[in-house]
Amino acid sequence: MAQGSSHRVVLVVDENSNPFEMSCAIEIFGLPRPELGRDLYDFRLCSAEPETRMRDGFFTLTGVAGLEAVEEADTLIVPNRPDTEVPRAERVLDAVRRAHARGARLVGFCSGAFTIAESGLLDGRRAACHWMWADAFRTRFPRVHLEPDVLFVDDGDVLTASGSASALDLGLHIVRRDHGVEIANHVSRRLVFAAHRDGGQQQFVERPVPAVPDESLGPLLAWAQERLGEPLTVADLAARAAVSPATLHRRFRAQLGTTPLAWLTGERVALACRLIERGEERLDVVAARSGLGTSANLRARLRRETGLSPSDYRRRFGPAGGPAASAPSGSVMSIPRRGTVSP
């Protein structure tokens, strides 16, 4: 799918929709990007009604496009709202079905998975939703393969995020998938948000705040990011932080929701992607500079993380093809489970 300012993202809101997820979509897909010299997406907001009462009557949304805007969507973000037991309007569901039938990508934030499931388009597919609604979702939609303990699920042309904040994670993942690591990092910096938390990380379910918070991992992460090409290990990270590996593991889990090894490997893969995007064609150089060691390991890690081989990634995101180049036929981004990455 060719991406760029011609790629239209349409967000549908309906009665009692959550304003937070709407704002996340606007921030990621709707803002102009003059510093990049181009806009990443053509974004539109629409509703089935001229006036839409948002969640709990906080405000009423007016002056947006009608539901006909869905017919022009390349990516459609479906409505989400807290009253999950109330059926969606049939004309909204019909619009979602038509969009998917003509090839649009579907995105559901938080309870948006209910909307896609009601349309019948999640049957036999993987999905994420908020842990609070997991049991109700399973009961209503037994044909959907729910993964209740992850941040988001990328199932190719249908993507779902578990909760409110994970809408940002999924949104940045989509930008990363469409435009590459460099652009996604730029968008995340403007958001002042973590550039990449993989979808397999566990949701933060009722984790109490410690009375004395652990020291910030920020200095350690910055130190490691400057040395990714070196043979860093988890033991090296622990020694730098002057803690035991077990304590470091607990801090990573508490502050980042992942393990030190998963974070380190993810950073190395991201660096490898950036090197390819900047024009480095020698795989052995990319592998060495990113700390992935060998070309074989680079190929395996890149395919696991992006679903693409290095040559496919270069064609899609490298200087020759550019971020607007078409994705290879049938390519799908894969998401590691629970942030765990084998050494």
Side-chain angles (χ1 to χ4, degrees), residues 138-288:
R138 286 196 192 93
T139 300
R140 288 183 60 186
F141 308 111
R143 296 182 180 179
V144 180
H145 302 305
L146 182 67
E147 298 186 13
D149 57 349
V150 300
L151 293 179
F152 62 83
V153 168
D154 179 341
D155 201 39
D157 60 347
V158 180
L159 302 93
T160 48
S162 59
S164 294
S166 59
L168 291 172
D169 292 299
L170 178 54
L172 287 170
H173 169 76
I174 291 171
V175 174
R176 189 170 185 258
R177 175 174 138 170
D178 290 349
H179 297 281
V181 172
E182 290 275 24
I183 299 297
N185 284 346
H186 171 84
V187 175
S188 73
R189 284 193 297 271
R190 280 193 54 174
L191 285 166
V192 195
F193 189 76
H196 180 60
R197 295 194 298 167
D198 73 62
Q201 289 180 207
Q202 294 187 41
Q203 297 179 39
F204 298 116
V205 183
E206 296 183 347
R207 178 173 60 84
V209 176
V212 180
D214 285 332
E215 294 180 6
S216 171
L217 288 171
L220 175 65
L221 302 185
W223 176 84
Q225 285 169 332
E226 294 177 355
R227 295 165 175 80
L228 293 174
E230 301 176 13
L232 287 179
T233 65
V234 174
D236 293 329
L237 296 179
R240 176 69 183 182
V243 297
S244 69
T247 297
L248 185 70
H249 191 280
R250 286 195 296 271
R251 290 185 180 179
F252 266 78
R253 278 295 185 192
Q255 297 184 35
L256 299 180
T258 189
T259 66
L261 179 58
W263 177 86
L264 186 59
T265 304
E267 289 296 308
R268 284 171 165 159
V269 172
L271 175 56
C273 289
R274 291 197 297 272
L275 292 170
I276 294 172
E277 290 173 25
R278 293 169 181 172
E280 180 56 67
E281 297 185 354
R282 297 165 295 177
L283 293 189
D284 57 337
V285 173
V286 174

Side-chain angles (χ1 to χ4, degrees), residues 8 12 54 106 129 151 198 202 212 222 233 238 304 320 333 342:
R8 173 158 289 184
V12 183
M54 301 296 287
L106 302 183
C129 79
L151 293 179
D198 73 62
Q202 294 187 41
V212 180
T233 65
R304 177 173 180 175
M333 297 288 283
S342 303

